[in-house]
Amino acid sequence: RIATVSEYSKQDIAKQYHLSPHKIDVVYSAAKDFFAPVSAAVQAATKAEYSAGNEYVLYVGSVNGRKNVKNMLRAFDLFKSRKESSLRFLIAGSMGWSNEEMKEELQQMKHRSEVIFTGRLSEADLVRVVGSSFAVMYVSLLEGFGVPPLEAMKCEVPCITSTTSSMPEITAGAALLAQPDNPQDIADKLQQLYDSQTLRAELIERGKKRAADFTWASTADLLWASCQKLLVNTK
């Protein structure tokens, strides 16, 4: 049998490897337990340290072509060009592969000075940075599961993510969805969130409920159920 992390990945594996879906079990992942809301004092100190005291939207993850940082940068530039705002864009993660287009986009940005690269963060710093953010923006091209939106939900932070791959399945109405190949759509979603405290509060509440659906105990139960199917079939 095969265990994989989402229904999307299950169907993708079945198609690519010509396997029966009945041989594949969905075993959802989870976020680490230390992701949780941070205090107002921690938020203020974190913003002072990373964004000169300003609110910021956050991307967490490796900076590579699949993660679509290029179009998130373009979307942020569009948002800043049409909206008077002190919002910054924090990018937390190590540099990966296929970044030429992203680097070109950086050079062309009108608001390049408001983009901040932190590099890879420790787990303790990551919790502070996620929990202090205005929103997490994770509009990648392809995800088998996609943990950062779930980490944001556990920290009671709203999220903008992709209309594609596993993201609608994992977030289940608890995040704003944007087309990853459309910077204008990403910018529109960021503006909606920026303009509406009501929408932001609704997404935080939905996110708290959705995050509670993913636990490591549930992951263990699902994986054990998959193992039991295998054991039964080999007798």
Side-chain angles (χ1 to χ4, degrees):
R1 300 194 69 80
I2 295 173
T4 190
V5 291
S6 65
E7 185 64 36
Y8 167 80
S9 290
K10 173 179 176 176
Q11 298 303 324
D12 190 33
I13 291 168
K15 179 181 177 181
Q16 295 299 326
Y17 294 98
H18 309 290
L19 297 172
S20 168
H22 298 296
K23 291 281 190 180
I24 307 171
D25 299 314
V26 176
V27 177
Y28 288 113
S29 189
K32 293 182 178 179
D33 292 335
F34 54 71
F35 281 95
V38 299
S39 68
V42 169
Q43 291 180 18
T46 303
K47 291 171 191 173
E49 179 178 354
Y50 287 96
S51 60
N54 295 289
E55 291 272 22
Y56 58 85
V57 62
L58 173 70
Y59 165 77
V60 176
S62 175
V63 182
N64 62 53
R66 178 172 66 85
K67 296 299 187 178
N68 201 35
V69 175
K70 174 195 71 173
N71 280 340
M72 286 185 273
L73 287 169
R74 189 171 296 174
F76 178 73
D77 217 26
L78 287 169
F79 166 81
K80 294 289 292 188
S81 293
R82 68 192 188 194
K83 191 76 178 178
E84 191 71 31
S85 164
S86 61
L87 197 69
R88 302 291 193 263
F89 186 13
L90 235 67
I91 297 174
S94 55
M95 284 291 171
W97 46 268
S98 187
N99 281 317
E100 292 76 16
E101 291 184 350
M102 185 274 290
K103 292 175 181 176
E104 290 177 7
E105 187 64 38
L106 270 176
Q107 293 175 356
Q108 297 171 11
M109 288 183 71
K110 295 178 182 178
H111 301 89
R112 168 66 182 89
S113 62
E114 296 174 89
V115 178
I116 303 154
F117 288 84
T118 70
R120 187 177 178 86
L121 298 175
S122 69
E123 291 181 338
D125 287 339
L126 185 59
V127 171
R128 291 194 299 118
V129 167
V130 173
S132 303
S133 63
F134 174 78
V136 165
M137 186 158 59
Y138 195 74
V139 194
S140 53
L141 297 174
L142 176 67
E143 294 293 334
F145 182 84
V147 175
L150 194 56
E151 294 170 344
M153 292 176 191
K154 286 176 69 70
C155 290
E156 298 184 9
V157 169
C159 183
I160 302 170
T161 192
S162 300
T163 56
T164 59
S165 62
S166 66
M167 292 290 81
E169 175 187 351
I170 301 306
T171 56
L176 289 183
L177 302 182
Q179 301 169 33
D181 59 350
N182 187 339
Q184 185 71 55
D185 189 34
I186 302 171
D188 288 346
K189 296 304 188 298
L190 181 55
Q191 183 167 346
Q192 288 176 27
L193 194 58
Y194 190 83
D195 287 344
S196 176
Q197 285 295 323
T198 300
L199 175 60
R200 190 167 185 272
E202 287 176 354
L203 288 173
I204 289 171
E205 285 303 311
R206 289 183 213 160
K208 287 163 59 177
K209 294 176 182 177
R210 183 56 176 160
D213 293 335
F214 299 93
T215 67
W216 290 115
S218 176
T219 301
D221 288 342
L222 290 168
L223 185 57
W224 178 238
S226 181
C227 292
Q228 287 181 310
K229 292 176 186 177
L230 178 63
L231 292 170
V232 168
N233 289 337
T234 57
K235 287 182 179 178

